[in-house]
Amino acid sequence: MLIDTTLREGAQLFGTYFNRETKERIISGLLALGTNEMELGWVGQEGLKELVEWARPIKGETALSVWSPCRGADIRKAAALGVDRVNIGVPVSDLHIENRLGTDREGLLERLARSVLTAGILGIRYISVGLEDASRADEAFALAAARLAQDMGASRIRLADSVGVLTPARMMGLAATFRRHLDIDLAVHCHDDFGMATANALTALQAGADYADCSILGIGERSGIAATEELATYLTLKEDNHDDTYQTDGIRDLCNFVSHAAGVPIPRTKAVAGKDIFACESGIHVHAMGKSPDLFEPYNPDTIGANRIVAVGGKSGRRAVAGALEEHDIAHDEADLPTIVDAVRRLSHKLERPLTTMELVSLTKAH
């Protein structure tokens, strides 16, 4: 189950500012996707209360949440927003406890217990406690903090790999350990500093975590976090027990919108979102796909609103060129095919790209 935090973690991306209209369009897109939970922002963020009020009537079964520091005053503000869930962040590594909070482990636990109790007294029904920098914390202490939060009434523990240092193997062990010792929901928040956020998030879900944080295009602090479009597509199309609650046919449109709004260009080979992920020019692949597309495609392009692109160029062989000529009803003499193939390759190398249909027609007529 996915917690999309494009409007909280994603909005923290350097130089990115979402206006109200943009936020509403992102929320609408995430609702269409079927996101389980949306983290709409952080306590104190300008316009957050109004955004929550706008989203509440249309949210359906999607839970609305906000992030709050581990402070009573902020938790009281969060309780007044009328969201379904409040995510309280608290660091558990000694590095953060000492240098950021200026306290010790005992002081941290006292603050945590007091904050969770305050949230419960204020009527927050679902209290999520995010253990920040859990990947660099003493595991026994982090687990003790999680158990304390559970005893005080927390509904969920969220483990944060705040600087993206975990590998899938280490995440598997960490998530399994916490799952084994907790009776409440477990979530993960995986950063992408070494390019493993989506893999770590998926691994945690497979190891027993109930939720994983993600954002559209993985945008967020520094290198960002796990990508919503990658997790939703995998869970829907490739997981053995896939979660068919995610409607992925509009995911690429949402990615393109966020790309423009956040100023983050989408690489043409970006998983799920890239424009050329179903484009093929290589002779062997083109020939094989003519027989059966699933030989070289992990899923049908239609399921994510994409199009298959097959072109001929400098990497194409005789069968690929012949297939393209047949597909586009381009008349040619079979004896001229070798010459046409050579001409296709030469022109493609000259242009440094595959040929368009019109270029293929013109070239064939010339031979």
Side-chain angles (χ1 to χ4, degrees), residues 278-279 289 293 297 299-301 306-310:
F278 288 101
M289 288 174 62
E297 289 179 350
Y299 50 85
N300 191 315
N307 297 310
R308 183 179 295 115
I309 302 172
V310 178

Side-chain angles (χ1 to χ4, degrees), residues 104-283:
D104 55 18
R105 291 183 179 184
E106 183 178 350
L108 185 283
L109 293 177
E110 289 177 359
R111 180 183 297 194
L112 172 60
R114 187 166 56 250
S115 296
V116 176
L117 283 173
T118 297
I121 292 171
L122 291 170
I124 299 173
R125 294 186 178 182
Y126 192 102
I127 304 165
S128 176
V129 173
L131 303 184
E132 299 172 7
D133 207 24
S135 53
R136 295 191 296 179
D138 176 76
E139 187 174 297
F141 175 71
L143 188 55
R147 285 173 167 170
L148 175 63
Q150 175 178 270
D151 292 342
M152 293 298 102
S155 304
R156 180 173 68 202
I157 297 297
R158 184 158 65 170
L159 304 175
D161 182 13
S162 300
V163 290
V165 295
L166 291 181
T167 63
R170 288 181 61 201
M171 173 58 83
M172 176 73 75
L174 186 67
T177 296
F178 276 76
R179 178 70 287 159
R180 189 166 59 250
H181 288 92
L182 295 175
D183 299 319
I184 56 178
D185 288 343
L186 179 65
V188 294
H189 181 91
C190 303
H191 274 264
D192 202 39
D193 296 85
F194 290 94
M196 289 181 278
T198 296
N200 283 338
L202 180 61
T203 296
L205 292 173
Q206 293 174 334
D210 304 284
Y211 295 90
D213 283 11
C214 50
S215 67
I216 296 297
L217 299 178
I219 63 171
E221 292 277 6
R222 304 184 313 281
S223 299
I225 62 172
T228 298
E229 69 278 4
E230 294 172 4
L231 286 171
T233 300
Y234 188 90
L235 292 171
T236 301
L237 303 178
K238 303 308 296 182
E239 187 76 317
D240 290 340
N241 297 312
H242 66 255
D243 189 336
D244 57 9
T245 60
Y246 302 119
Q247 305 301 313
T248 59
D249 54 330
I251 191 69
R252 285 164 62 88
D253 288 339
L254 181 57
C255 288
N256 285 326
F257 177 73
V258 171
S259 169
H260 291 293
V264 178
I266 301 176
R268 64 189 181 95
T269 55
K270 170 74 168 65
V272 181
K275 69 180 182 67
D276 286 342
I277 60 172
F278 288 101
C280 185
E281 178 192 353
S282 175

